[in-house]
PDB file of all heavy atoms in Angstrom:
ATOM      1  N   TYR Q   6      -0.257  16.242 -11.264  1.00  0.00           N
ATOM      2  CA  TYR Q   6      -0.022  17.520 -11.937  1.00  0.00           C
ATOM      3  C   TYR Q   6      -1.257  18.355 -11.751  1.00  0.00           C
ATOM      4  O   TYR Q   6      -2.392  17.887 -11.817  1.00  0.00           O
ATOM      5  CB  TYR Q   6       0.242  17.306 -13.440  1.00  0.00           C
ATOM      6  CG  TYR Q   6       0.440  18.598 -14.170  1.00  0.00           C
ATOM      7  CD1 TYR Q   6       1.685  19.254 -14.163  1.00  0.00           C
ATOM      8  CD2 TYR Q   6      -0.615  19.197 -14.868  1.00  0.00           C
ATOM      9  CE1 TYR Q   6       1.860  20.460 -14.815  1.00  0.00           C
ATOM     10  CE2 TYR Q   6      -0.429  20.398 -15.540  1.00  0.00           C
ATOM     11  CZ  TYR Q   6       0.799  21.014 -15.500  1.00  0.00           C
ATOM     12  OH  TYR Q   6       0.976  22.222 -16.163  1.00  0.00           O
ATOM     13  N   GLY Q   7      -0.998  19.726 -11.457  1.00  0.00           N
ATOM     14  CA  GLY Q   7      -2.132  20.598 -11.239  1.00  0.00           C
ATOM     15  C   GLY Q   7      -1.675  22.040 -11.135  1.00  0.00           C
ATOM     16  O   GLY Q   7      -0.576  22.412 -11.563  1.00  0.00           O
ATOM     17  N   ALA Q   8      -2.585  22.846 -10.563  1.00  0.00           N
ATOM     18  CA  ALA Q   8      -2.319  24.294 -10.418  1.00  0.00           C
ATOM     19  C   ALA Q   8      -3.054  24.801  -9.210  1.00  0.00           C
ATOM     20  O   ALA Q   8      -4.043  24.217  -8.748  1.00  0.00           O
ATOM     21  CB  ALA Q   8      -2.761  25.048 -11.665  1.00  0.00           C
ATOM     22  N   THR Q   9      -2.561  25.971  -8.683  1.00  0.00           N
ATOM     23  CA  THR Q   9      -3.138  26.567  -7.491  1.00  0.00           C
ATOM     24  C   THR Q   9      -3.475  28.042  -7.786  1.00  0.00           C
ATOM     25  O   THR Q   9      -2.647  28.772  -8.342  1.00  0.00           O
ATOM     26  CB  THR Q   9      -2.149  26.512  -6.301  1.00  0.00           C
ATOM     27  OG1 THR Q   9      -1.771  25.167  -6.079  1.00  0.00           O
ATOM     28  CG2 THR Q   9      -2.762  27.092  -5.044  1.00  0.00           C
ATOM     29  N   ARG Q  10      -4.688  28.450  -7.477  1.00  0.00           N
ATOM     30  CA  ARG Q  10      -5.094  29.851  -7.585  1.00  0.00           C
ATOM     31  C   ARG Q  10      -4.618  30.617  -6.355  1.00  0.00           C
ATOM     32  O   ARG Q  10      -4.318  29.992  -5.341  1.00  0.00           O
ATOM     33  CB  ARG Q  10      -6.608  29.930  -7.731  1.00  0.00           C
ATOM     34  CG  ARG Q  10      -7.109  29.419  -9.105  1.00  0.00           C
ATOM     35  CD  ARG Q  10      -8.616  29.534  -9.183  1.00  0.00           C
ATOM     36  NE  ARG Q  10      -9.057  30.917  -9.064  1.00  0.00           N
ATOM     37  CZ  ARG Q  10      -9.213  31.749 -10.102  1.00  0.00           C
ATOM     38  NH1 ARG Q  10      -8.940  31.293 -11.314  1.00  0.00           N
ATOM     39  NH2 ARG Q  10      -9.610  32.976  -9.948  1.00  0.00           N
ATOM     40  N   PRO Q  11      -4.564  31.926  -6.356  1.00  0.00           N
ATOM     41  CA  PRO Q  11      -5.103  32.832  -7.375  1.00  0.00           C
ATOM     42  C   PRO Q  11      -4.169  33.088  -8.553  1.00  0.00           C
ATOM     43  O   PRO Q  11      -4.596  33.608  -9.588  1.00  0.00           O
ATOM     44  CB  PRO Q  11      -5.336  34.123  -6.594  1.00  0.00           C
ATOM     45  CG  PRO Q  11      -4.322  34.113  -5.538  1.00  0.00           C
ATOM     46  CD  PRO Q  11      -4.159  32.683  -5.139  1.00  0.00           C
ATOM     47  N   ASP Q  12      -2.924  32.707  -8.449  1.00  0.00           N
ATOM     48  CA  ASP Q  12      -2.014  33.003  -9.549  1.00  0.00           C
ATOM     49  C   ASP Q  12      -1.793  31.796 -10.459  1.00  0.00           C
ATOM     50  O   ASP Q  12      -0.971  31.835 -11.379  1.00  0.00           O
ATOM     51  CB  ASP Q  12      -0.668  33.471  -8.998  1.00  0.00           C
ATOM     52  CG  ASP Q  12      -0.098  32.486  -7.977  1.00  0.00           C
ATOM     53  OD1 ASP Q  12      -0.808  31.478  -7.691  1.00  0.00           O
ATOM     54  OD2 ASP Q  12       1.017  32.703  -7.451  1.00  0.00           O
ATOM     55  N   MET Q  13      -2.546  30.683 -10.179  1.00  0.00           N
ATOM     56  CA  MET Q  13      -2.467  29.464 -11.000  1.00  0.00           C
ATOM     57  C   MET Q  13      -1.029  28.937 -11.107  1.00  0.00           C
ATOM     58  O   MET Q  13      -0.530  28.637 -12.197  1.00  0.00           O
ATOM     59  CB  MET Q  13      -3.058  29.691 -12.387  1.00  0.00           C
ATOM     60  CG  MET Q  13      -4.549  29.940 -12.381  1.00  0.00           C
ATOM     61  SD  MET Q  13      -5.499  28.576 -11.693  1.00  0.00           S
ATOM     62  CE  MET Q  13      -5.163  27.326 -12.900  1.00  0.00           C
ATOM     63  N   ASN Q  14      -0.373  28.869  -9.967  1.00  0.00           N
ATOM     64  CA  ASN Q  14       0.984  28.330  -9.979  1.00  0.00           C
ATOM     65  C   ASN Q  14       0.957  26.836 -10.339  1.00  0.00           C
ATOM     66  O   ASN Q  14       0.146  26.078  -9.841  1.00  0.00           O
ATOM     67  CB  ASN Q  14       1.626  28.503  -8.597  1.00  0.00           C
ATOM     68  CG  ASN Q  14       1.919  29.958  -8.288  1.00  0.00           C
ATOM     69  OD1 ASN Q  14       2.148  30.757  -9.193  1.00  0.00           O
ATOM     70  ND2 ASN Q  14       1.902  30.304  -6.996  1.00  0.00           N
ATOM     71  N   GLU Q  15       1.830  26.416 -11.203  1.00  0.00           N
ATOM     72  CA  GLU Q  15       1.926  25.013 -11.638  1.00  0.00           C
ATOM     73  C   GLU Q  15       2.519  24.177 -10.501  1.00  0.00           C
ATOM     74  O   GLU Q  15       3.525  24.537  -9.903  1.00  0.00           O
ATOM     75  CB  GLU Q  15       2.790  24.905 -12.880  1.00  0.00           C
ATOM     76  CG  GLU Q  15       2.904  23.485 -13.424  1.00  0.00           C
ATOM     77  CD  GLU Q  15       3.817  23.418 -14.631  1.00  0.00           C
ATOM     78  OE1 GLU Q  15       4.867  24.091 -14.613  1.00  0.00           O
ATOM     79  OE2 GLU Q  15       3.498  22.661 -15.562  1.00  0.00           O
ATOM     80  N   ILE Q  16       1.861  23.037 -10.212  1.00  0.00           N
ATOM     81  CA  ILE Q  16       2.373  22.100  -9.215  1.00  0.00           C
ATOM     82  C   ILE Q  16       2.389  20.698  -9.816  1.00  0.00           C
ATOM     83  O   ILE Q  16       1.498  20.322 -10.572  1.00  0.00           O
ATOM     84  CB  ILE Q  16       1.494  22.118  -7.940  1.00  0.00           C
ATOM     85  CG1 ILE Q  16       0.041  21.813  -8.273  1.00  0.00           C
ATOM     86  CG2 ILE Q  16       1.601  23.464  -7.227  1.00  0.00           C
ATOM     87  CD1 ILE Q  16      -0.847  21.699  -7.055  1.00  0.00           C
ATOM     88  N   TRP Q  17       3.423  19.916  -9.511  1.00  0.00           N
ATOM     89  CA  TRP Q  17       3.511  18.533  -9.986  1.00  0.00           C
ATOM     90  C   TRP Q  17       4.449  17.764  -9.081  1.00  0.00           C
ATOM     91  O   TRP Q  17       5.230  18.326  -8.316  1.00  0.00           O
ATOM     92  CB  TRP Q  17       3.973  18.457 -11.437  1.00  0.00           C
ATOM     93  CG  TRP Q  17       5.326  19.061 -11.679  1.00  0.00           C
ATOM     94  CD1 TRP Q  17       5.637  20.361 -11.938  1.00  0.00           C
ATOM     95  CD2 TRP Q  17       6.587  18.362 -11.639  1.00  0.00           C
ATOM     96  NE1 TRP Q  17       6.969  20.558 -12.090  1.00  0.00           N
ATOM     97  CE2 TRP Q  17       7.585  19.326 -11.906  1.00  0.00           C
ATOM     98  CE3 TRP Q  17       6.949  17.034 -11.408  1.00  0.00           C
ATOM     99  CZ2 TRP Q  17       8.933  18.990 -11.956  1.00  0.00           C
ATOM    100  CZ3 TRP Q  17       8.271  16.716 -11.465  1.00  0.00           C
ATOM    101  CH2 TRP Q  17       9.256  17.665 -11.744  1.00  0.00           C
ATOM    102  N   GLU Q  18       4.312  16.414  -9.196  1.00  0.00           N
ATOM    103  CA  GLU Q  18       5.128  15.551  -8.347  1.00  0.00           C
ATOM    104  C   GLU Q  18       5.244  14.176  -8.977  1.00  0.00           C
ATOM    105  O   GLU Q  18       4.288  13.653  -9.555  1.00  0.00           O
ATOM    106  CB  GLU Q  18       4.489  15.423  -6.960  1.00  0.00           C
ATOM    107  CG  GLU Q  18       5.229  14.479  -6.010  1.00  0.00           C
ATOM    108  CD  GLU Q  18       4.522  14.315  -4.678  1.00  0.00           C
ATOM    109  OE1 GLU Q  18       4.267  15.329  -4.035  1.00  0.00           O
ATOM    110  OE2 GLU Q  18       4.219  13.155  -4.325  1.00  0.00           O
ATOM    111  N   LEU Q  19       6.380  13.546  -8.848  1.00  0.00           N
ATOM    112  CA  LEU Q  19       6.621  12.145  -9.205  1.00  0.00           C
ATOM    113  C   LEU Q  19       7.101  11.447  -7.969  1.00  0.00           C
ATOM    114  O   LEU Q  19       7.934  11.992  -7.211  1.00  0.00           O
ATOM    115  CB  LEU Q  19       7.657  12.030 -10.323  1.00  0.00           C
ATOM    116  CG  LEU Q  19       7.280  12.615 -11.685  1.00  0.00           C
ATOM    117  CD1 LEU Q  19       8.445  12.495 -12.657  1.00  0.00           C
ATOM    118  CD2 LEU Q  19       6.047  11.911 -12.243  1.00  0.00           C
ATOM    119  N   ASN Q  20       6.577  10.199  -7.720  1.00  0.00           N
ATOM    120  CA  ASN Q  20       6.964   9.517  -6.508  1.00  0.00           C
ATOM    121  C   ASN Q  20       7.095   8.016  -6.748  1.00  0.00           C
ATOM    122  O   ASN Q  20       6.521   7.474  -7.697  1.00  0.00           O
ATOM    123  CB  ASN Q  20       5.973   9.783  -5.373  1.00  0.00           C
ATOM    124  CG  ASN Q  20       4.558   9.414  -5.758  1.00  0.00           C
ATOM    125  OD1 ASN Q  20       4.243   8.257  -5.982  1.00  0.00           O
ATOM    126  ND2 ASN Q  20       3.670  10.415  -5.850  1.00  0.00           N
ATOM    127  N   LEU Q  21       7.813   7.340  -5.903  1.00  0.00           N
ATOM    128  CA  LEU Q  21       7.973   5.891  -5.901  1.00  0.00           C
ATOM    129  C   LEU Q  21       7.808   5.430  -4.455  1.00  0.00           C
ATOM    130  O   LEU Q  21       8.545   5.883  -3.578  1.00  0.00           O
ATOM    131  CB  LEU Q  21       9.351   5.505  -6.423  1.00  0.00           C
ATOM    132  CG  LEU Q  21       9.634   4.001  -6.531  1.00  0.00           C
ATOM    133  CD1 LEU Q  21       8.729   3.382  -7.574  1.00  0.00           C
ATOM    134  CD2 LEU Q  21      11.104   3.763  -6.884  1.00  0.00           C
ATOM    135  N   ASN Q  22       6.799   4.561  -4.214  1.00  0.00           N
ATOM    136  CA  ASN Q  22       6.453   4.177  -2.864  1.00  0.00           C
ATOM    137  C   ASN Q  22       6.751   2.694  -2.641  1.00  0.00           C
ATOM    138  O   ASN Q  22       6.479   1.849  -3.513  1.00  0.00           O
ATOM    139  CB  ASN Q  22       4.957   4.417  -2.586  1.00  0.00           C
ATOM    140  CG  ASN Q  22       4.598   5.884  -2.726  1.00  0.00           C
ATOM    141  OD1 ASN Q  22       5.356   6.757  -2.319  1.00  0.00           O
ATOM    142  ND2 ASN Q  22       3.435   6.148  -3.322  1.00  0.00           N
ATOM    143  N   LEU Q  23       7.245   2.388  -1.468  1.00  0.00           N
ATOM    144  CA  LEU Q  23       7.451   1.015  -1.037  1.00  0.00           C
ATOM    145  C   LEU Q  23       6.671   0.829   0.263  1.00  0.00           C
ATOM    146  O   LEU Q  23       6.991   1.453   1.277  1.00  0.00           O
ATOM    147  CB  LEU Q  23       8.953   0.740  -0.801  1.00  0.00           C
ATOM    148  CG  LEU Q  23       9.270  -0.632  -0.203  1.00  0.00           C
ATOM    149  CD1 LEU Q  23       8.899  -1.745  -1.184  1.00  0.00           C
ATOM    150  CD2 LEU Q  23      10.752  -0.711   0.170  1.00  0.00           C
ATOM    151  N   ASN Q  24       5.642  -0.012   0.211  1.00  0.00           N
ATOM    152  CA  ASN Q  24       4.793  -0.264   1.382  1.00  0.00           C
ATOM    153  C   ASN Q  24       5.025  -1.693   1.859  1.00  0.00           C
ATOM    154  O   ASN Q  24       4.818  -2.654   1.109  1.00  0.00           O
ATOM    155  CB  ASN Q  24       3.305  -0.063   1.043  1.00  0.00           C
ATOM    156  CG  ASN Q  24       3.019   1.354   0.567  1.00  0.00           C
ATOM    157  OD1 ASN Q  24       3.579   2.304   1.117  1.00  0.00           O
ATOM    158  ND2 ASN Q  24       2.172   1.486  -0.425  1.00  0.00           N
ATOM    159  N   TRP Q  25       5.371  -1.821   3.102  1.00  0.00           N
ATOM    160  CA  TRP Q  25       5.665  -3.146   3.660  1.00  0.00           C
ATOM    161  C   TRP Q  25       5.227  -3.150   5.115  1.00  0.00           C
ATOM    162  O   TRP Q  25       5.775  -2.417   5.956  1.00  0.00           O
ATOM    163  CB  TRP Q  25       7.162  -3.436   3.552  1.00  0.00           C
ATOM    164  CG  TRP Q  25       7.486  -4.893   3.769  1.00  0.00           C
ATOM    165  CD1 TRP Q  25       6.653  -5.875   4.165  1.00  0.00           C
ATOM    166  CD2 TRP Q  25       8.776  -5.508   3.583  1.00  0.00           C
ATOM    167  NE1 TRP Q  25       7.300  -7.097   4.231  1.00  0.00           N
ATOM    168  CE2 TRP Q  25       8.626  -6.888   3.862  1.00  0.00           C
ATOM    169  CE3 TRP Q  25      10.015  -5.023   3.176  1.00  0.00           C
ATOM    170  CZ2 TRP Q  25       9.690  -7.765   3.788  1.00  0.00           C
ATOM    171  CZ3 TRP Q  25      11.061  -5.927   3.089  1.00  0.00           C
ATOM    172  CH2 TRP Q  25      10.892  -7.287   3.390  1.00  0.00           C
ATOM    173  N   ALA Q  26       4.218  -3.989   5.389  1.00  0.00           N
ATOM    174  CA  ALA Q  26       3.764  -4.144   6.766  1.00  0.00           C
ATOM    175  C   ALA Q  26       4.647  -5.168   7.439  1.00  0.00           C
ATOM    176  O   ALA Q  26       4.545  -6.366   7.190  1.00  0.00           O
ATOM    177  CB  ALA Q  26       2.304  -4.596   6.805  1.00  0.00           C
ATOM    178  N   ILE Q  27       5.554  -4.674   8.267  1.00  0.00           N
ATOM    179  CA  ILE Q  27       6.548  -5.560   8.889  1.00  0.00           C
ATOM    180  C   ILE Q  27       5.932  -6.426   9.963  1.00  0.00           C
ATOM    181  O   ILE Q  27       6.213  -7.622  10.067  1.00  0.00           O
ATOM    182  CB  ILE Q  27       7.723  -4.713   9.451  1.00  0.00           C
ATOM    183  CG1 ILE Q  27       8.380  -3.927   8.309  1.00  0.00           C
ATOM    184  CG2 ILE Q  27       8.728  -5.575  10.177  1.00  0.00           C
ATOM    185  CD1 ILE Q  27       9.473  -2.969   8.770  1.00  0.00           C
ATOM    186  N   PHE Q  28       5.040  -5.869  10.778  1.00  0.00           N
ATOM    187  CA  PHE Q  28       4.402  -6.655  11.822  1.00  0.00           C
ATOM    188  C   PHE Q  28       2.973  -6.137  12.020  1.00  0.00           C
ATOM    189  O   PHE Q  28       2.759  -4.921  12.139  1.00  0.00           O
ATOM    190  CB  PHE Q  28       5.192  -6.535  13.132  1.00  0.00           C
ATOM    191  CG  PHE Q  28       4.589  -7.347  14.270  1.00  0.00           C
ATOM    192  CD1 PHE Q  28       4.644  -8.729  14.253  1.00  0.00           C
ATOM    193  CD2 PHE Q  28       3.916  -6.727  15.323  1.00  0.00           C
ATOM    194  CE1 PHE Q  28       4.089  -9.481  15.270  1.00  0.00           C
ATOM    195  CE2 PHE Q  28       3.357  -7.456  16.336  1.00  0.00           C
ATOM    196  CZ  PHE Q  28       3.430  -8.847  16.315  1.00  0.00           C
ATOM    197  N   ASP Q  29       2.033  -7.046  11.994  1.00  0.00           N
ATOM    198  CA  ASP Q  29       0.615  -6.660  12.141  1.00  0.00           C
ATOM    199  C   ASP Q  29      -0.065  -7.465  13.240  1.00  0.00           C
ATOM    200  O   ASP Q  29      -1.275  -7.716  13.183  1.00  0.00           O
ATOM    201  CB  ASP Q  29      -0.124  -6.819  10.834  1.00  0.00           C
ATOM    202  CG  ASP Q  29      -0.129  -8.259  10.335  1.00  0.00           C
ATOM    203  OD1 ASP Q  29       0.564  -9.102  10.969  1.00  0.00           O
ATOM    204  OD2 ASP Q  29      -0.815  -8.554   9.340  1.00  0.00           O
ATOM    205  N   GLY Q  30       0.659  -7.898  14.221  1.00  0.00           N
ATOM    206  CA  GLY Q  30       0.063  -8.649  15.326  1.00  0.00           C
ATOM    207  C   GLY Q  30      -0.245 -10.094  15.003  1.00  0.00           C
ATOM    208  O   GLY Q  30      -1.039 -10.721  15.689  1.00  0.00           O
ATOM    209  N   GLY Q  31       0.332 -10.656  13.951  1.00  0.00           N
ATOM    210  CA  GLY Q  31       0.097 -12.053  13.588  1.00  0.00           C
ATOM    211  C   GLY Q  31      -1.103 -12.263  12.698  1.00  0.00           C
ATOM    212  O   GLY Q  31      -1.529 -13.405  12.462  1.00  0.00           O
ATOM    213  N   ASN Q  32      -1.703 -11.183  12.167  1.00  0.00           N
ATOM    214  CA  ASN Q  32      -2.891 -11.322  11.313  1.00  0.00           C
ATOM    215  C   ASN Q  32      -2.581 -12.069  10.025  1.00  0.00           C
ATOM    216  O   ASN Q  32      -3.345 -12.970   9.620  1.00  0.00           O
ATOM    217  CB  ASN Q  32      -3.463  -9.926  11.018  1.00  0.00           C
ATOM    218  CG  ASN Q  32      -4.730  -9.990  10.202  1.00  0.00           C
ATOM    219  OD1 ASN Q  32      -5.544 -10.893  10.396  1.00  0.00           O
ATOM    220  ND2 ASN Q  32      -4.903  -9.072   9.292  1.00  0.00           N
ATOM    221  N   ARG Q  33      -1.505 -11.743   9.363  1.00  0.00           N
ATOM    222  CA  ARG Q  33      -1.168 -12.403   8.102  1.00  0.00           C
ATOM    223  C   ARG Q  33      -0.818 -13.878   8.310  1.00  0.00           C
ATOM    224  O   ARG Q  33      -1.150 -14.720   7.484  1.00  0.00           O
ATOM    225  CB  ARG Q  33      -0.008 -11.676   7.434  1.00  0.00           C
ATOM    226  CG  ARG Q  33      -0.390 -10.335   6.807  1.00  0.00           C
ATOM    227  CD  ARG Q  33       0.799  -9.599   6.296  1.00  0.00           C
ATOM    228  NE  ARG Q  33       1.719  -9.273   7.394  1.00  0.00           N
ATOM    229  CZ  ARG Q  33       2.920  -8.730   7.220  1.00  0.00           C
ATOM    230  NH1 ARG Q  33       3.358  -8.475   5.988  1.00  0.00           N
ATOM    231  NH2 ARG Q  33       3.699  -8.441   8.259  1.00  0.00           N
ATOM    232  N   ILE Q  34      -0.170 -14.185   9.416  1.00  0.00           N
ATOM    233  CA  ILE Q  34       0.141 -15.575   9.699  1.00  0.00           C
ATOM    234  C   ILE Q  34      -1.131 -16.391   9.895  1.00  0.00           C
ATOM    235  O   ILE Q  34      -1.271 -17.518   9.378  1.00  0.00           O
ATOM    236  CB  ILE Q  34       1.049 -15.669  10.938  1.00  0.00           C
ATOM    237  CG1 ILE Q  34       2.383 -14.998  10.657  1.00  0.00           C
ATOM    238  CG2 ILE Q  34       1.256 -17.122  11.344  1.00  0.00           C
ATOM    239  CD1 ILE Q  34       3.312 -14.972  11.854  1.00  0.00           C
ATOM    240  N   ALA Q  35      -2.108 -15.820  10.619  1.00  0.00           N
ATOM    241  CA  ALA Q  35      -3.382 -16.508  10.837  1.00  0.00           C
ATOM    242  C   ALA Q  35      -4.131 -16.719   9.532  1.00  0.00           C
ATOM    243  O   ALA Q  35      -4.721 -17.763   9.289  1.00  0.00           O
ATOM    244  CB  ALA Q  35      -4.234 -15.732  11.831  1.00  0.00           C
ATOM    245  N   ARG Q  36      -4.117 -15.706   8.642  1.00  0.00           N
ATOM    246  CA  ARG Q  36      -4.794 -15.836   7.349  1.00  0.00           C
ATOM    247  C   ARG Q  36      -4.146 -16.918   6.503  1.00  0.00           C
ATOM    248  O   ARG Q  36      -4.823 -17.663   5.772  1.00  0.00           O
ATOM    249  CB  ARG Q  36      -4.788 -14.494   6.591  1.00  0.00           C
ATOM    250  CG  ARG Q  36      -5.701 -13.439   7.179  1.00  0.00           C
ATOM    251  CD  ARG Q  36      -6.073 -12.394   6.131  1.00  0.00           C
ATOM    252  NE  ARG Q  36      -4.880 -11.805   5.534  1.00  0.00           N
ATOM    253  CZ  ARG Q  36      -4.299 -10.690   5.955  1.00  0.00           C
ATOM    254  NH1 ARG Q  36      -4.768 -10.053   7.020  1.00  0.00           N
ATOM    255  NH2 ARG Q  36      -3.244 -10.194   5.328  1.00  0.00           N
ATOM    256  N   TYR Q  37      -2.814 -17.018   6.559  1.00  0.00           N
ATOM    257  CA  TYR Q  37      -2.128 -18.045   5.789  1.00  0.00           C
ATOM    258  C   TYR Q  37      -2.502 -19.433   6.302  1.00  0.00           C
ATOM    259  O   TYR Q  37      -2.760 -20.340   5.500  1.00  0.00           O
ATOM    260  CB  TYR Q  37      -0.617 -17.813   5.897  1.00  0.00           C
ATOM    261  CG  TYR Q  37       0.199 -18.906   5.226  1.00  0.00           C
ATOM    262  CD1 TYR Q  37       0.375 -18.915   3.852  1.00  0.00           C
ATOM    263  CD2 TYR Q  37       0.796 -19.927   5.992  1.00  0.00           C
ATOM    264  CE1 TYR Q  37       1.107 -19.908   3.241  1.00  0.00           C
ATOM    265  CE2 TYR Q  37       1.528 -20.912   5.381  1.00  0.00           C
ATOM    266  CZ  TYR Q  37       1.684 -20.915   3.998  1.00  0.00           C
ATOM    267  OH  TYR Q  37       2.411 -21.897   3.394  1.00  0.00           O
ATOM    268  N   ARG Q  38      -2.520 -19.613   7.612  1.00  0.00           N
ATOM    269  CA  ARG Q  38      -2.899 -20.918   8.167  1.00  0.00           C
ATOM    270  C   ARG Q  38      -4.344 -21.257   7.829  1.00  0.00           C
ATOM    271  O   ARG Q  38      -4.661 -22.432   7.554  1.00  0.00           O
ATOM    272  CB  ARG Q  38      -2.668 -20.909   9.667  1.00  0.00           C
ATOM    273  CG  ARG Q  38      -1.192 -20.858  10.042  1.00  0.00           C
ATOM    274  CD  ARG Q  38      -0.994 -20.703  11.539  1.00  0.00           C
ATOM    275  NE  ARG Q  38       0.438 -20.735  11.906  1.00  0.00           N
ATOM    276  CZ  ARG Q  38       0.882 -20.471  13.126  1.00  0.00           C
ATOM    277  NH1 ARG Q  38       0.024 -20.168  14.117  1.00  0.00           N
ATOM    278  NH2 ARG Q  38       2.175 -20.524  13.372  1.00  0.00           N
ATOM    279  N   GLU Q  39      -5.214 -20.273   7.853  1.00  0.00           N
ATOM    280  CA  GLU Q  39      -6.621 -20.534   7.474  1.00  0.00           C
ATOM    281  C   GLU Q  39      -6.722 -20.967   6.033  1.00  0.00           C
ATOM    282  O   GLU Q  39      -7.458 -21.910   5.698  1.00  0.00           O
ATOM    283  CB  GLU Q  39      -7.435 -19.259   7.696  1.00  0.00           C
ATOM    284  CG  GLU Q  39      -8.889 -19.391   7.287  1.00  0.00           C
ATOM    285  CD  GLU Q  39      -9.631 -18.073   7.266  1.00  0.00           C
ATOM    286  OE1 GLU Q  39      -8.992 -17.038   7.535  1.00  0.00           O
ATOM    287  OE2 GLU Q  39     -10.835 -18.080   6.989  1.00  0.00           O
ATOM    288  N   ALA Q  40      -6.016 -20.299   5.146  1.00  0.00           N
ATOM    289  CA  ALA Q  40      -6.047 -20.667   3.722  1.00  0.00           C
ATOM    290  C   ALA Q  40      -5.516 -22.069   3.497  1.00  0.00           C
ATOM    291  O   ALA Q  40      -6.029 -22.834   2.666  1.00  0.00           O
ATOM    292  CB  ALA Q  40      -5.248 -19.660   2.909  1.00  0.00           C
ATOM    293  N   LYS Q  41      -4.479 -22.454   4.240  1.00  0.00           N
ATOM    294  CA  LYS Q  41      -3.923 -23.793   4.114  1.00  0.00           C
ATOM    295  C   LYS Q  41      -4.927 -24.867   4.545  1.00  0.00           C
ATOM    296  O   LYS Q  41      -5.087 -25.902   3.898  1.00  0.00           O
ATOM    297  CB  LYS Q  41      -2.629 -23.895   4.915  1.00  0.00           C
ATOM    298  CG  LYS Q  41      -1.889 -25.222   4.736  1.00  0.00           C
ATOM    299  CD  LYS Q  41      -0.583 -25.228   5.486  1.00  0.00           C
ATOM    300  CE  LYS Q  41       0.175 -26.532   5.283  1.00  0.00           C
ATOM    301  NZ  LYS Q  41       1.448 -26.552   6.028  1.00  0.00           N
ATOM    302  N   ALA Q  42      -5.618 -24.598   5.674  1.00  0.00           N
ATOM    303  CA  ALA Q  42      -6.640 -25.542   6.135  1.00  0.00           C
ATOM    304  C   ALA Q  42      -7.813 -25.634   5.148  1.00  0.00           C
ATOM    305  O   ALA Q  42      -8.328 -26.737   4.904  1.00  0.00           O
ATOM    306  CB  ALA Q  42      -7.148 -25.119   7.516  1.00  0.00           C
ATOM    307  N   ASN Q  43      -8.192 -24.513   4.548  1.00  0.00           N
ATOM    308  CA  ASN Q  43      -9.272 -24.533   3.558  1.00  0.00           C
ATOM    309  C   ASN Q  43      -8.877 -25.338   2.333  1.00  0.00           C
ATOM    310  O   ASN Q  43      -9.713 -26.031   1.731  1.00  0.00           O
ATOM    311  CB  ASN Q  43      -9.625 -23.112   3.158  1.00  0.00           C
ATOM    312  CG  ASN Q  43     -10.377 -22.368   4.255  1.00  0.00           C
ATOM    313  OD1 ASN Q  43     -11.014 -22.978   5.099  1.00  0.00           O
ATOM    314  ND2 ASN Q  43     -10.278 -21.043   4.244  1.00  0.00           N
ATOM    315  N   LEU Q  44      -7.609 -25.252   1.921  1.00  0.00           N
ATOM    316  CA  LEU Q  44      -7.154 -26.037   0.780  1.00  0.00           C
ATOM    317  C   LEU Q  44      -7.221 -27.534   1.074  1.00  0.00           C
ATOM    318  O   LEU Q  44      -7.666 -28.334   0.217  1.00  0.00           O
ATOM    319  CB  LEU Q  44      -5.719 -25.627   0.416  1.00  0.00           C
ATOM    320  CG  LEU Q  44      -5.067 -26.451  -0.692  1.00  0.00           C
ATOM    321  CD1 LEU Q  44      -5.860 -26.351  -1.978  1.00  0.00           C
ATOM    322  CD2 LEU Q  44      -3.611 -25.998  -0.897  1.00  0.00           C
ATOM    323  N   GLU Q  45      -6.794 -27.936   2.236  1.00  0.00           N
ATOM    324  CA  GLU Q  45      -6.874 -29.353   2.595  1.00  0.00           C
ATOM    325  C   GLU Q  45      -8.318 -29.834   2.629  1.00  0.00           C
ATOM    326  O   GLU Q  45      -8.606 -30.955   2.180  1.00  0.00           O
ATOM    327  CB  GLU Q  45      -6.202 -29.559   3.969  1.00  0.00           C
ATOM    328  CG  GLU Q  45      -4.700 -29.320   3.953  1.00  0.00           C
ATOM    329  CD  GLU Q  45      -4.081 -29.350   5.347  1.00  0.00           C
ATOM    330  OE1 GLU Q  45      -4.869 -29.473   6.319  1.00  0.00           O
ATOM    331  OE2 GLU Q  45      -2.854 -29.279   5.470  1.00  0.00           O
ATOM    332  N   GLY Q  46      -9.222 -29.014   3.151  1.00  0.00           N
ATOM    333  CA  GLY Q  46     -10.636 -29.398   3.135  1.00  0.00           C
ATOM    334  C   GLY Q  46     -11.214 -29.503   1.743  1.00  0.00           C
ATOM    335  O   GLY Q  46     -11.970 -30.409   1.439  1.00  0.00           O
ATOM    336  N   ALA Q  47     -10.832 -28.559   0.864  1.00  0.00           N
ATOM    337  CA  ALA Q  47     -11.333 -28.619  -0.529  1.00  0.00           C
ATOM    338  C   ALA Q  47     -10.824 -29.847  -1.252  1.00  0.00           C
ATOM    339  O   ALA Q  47     -11.560 -30.468  -2.033  1.00  0.00           O
ATOM    340  CB  ALA Q  47     -10.905 -27.352  -1.269  1.00  0.00           C
TER     341      ALA Q  47
END
């Protein structure tokens, strides 16, 4: 919510966002495997 000069027009917005990384080159898969190996070591 806000306003814009010079006439101070009222501006506002409501939004709903859905963020989903469908493919990132296998980065998340590698992080998951690393975490699993760290758990076994711990």
Side-chain angles (χ1 to χ4, degrees):
Y6 178 82
T9 304
R10 289 180 62 89
D12 53 358
M13 293 300 294
N14 290 331
E15 182 182 40
I16 57 175
W17 60 273
E18 177 184 304
L19 295 177
N20 56 65
L21 182 66
N22 299 320
L23 174 66
N24 300 320
W25 195 353
I27 299 175
F28 180 72
D29 61 353
N32 183 37
R33 286 174 297 174
I34 296 176
R36 289 203 305 267
Y37 175 79
R38 291 174 177 173
E39 178 190 3
K41 186 176 181 181
N43 288 335
L44 174 59
E45 293 172 355

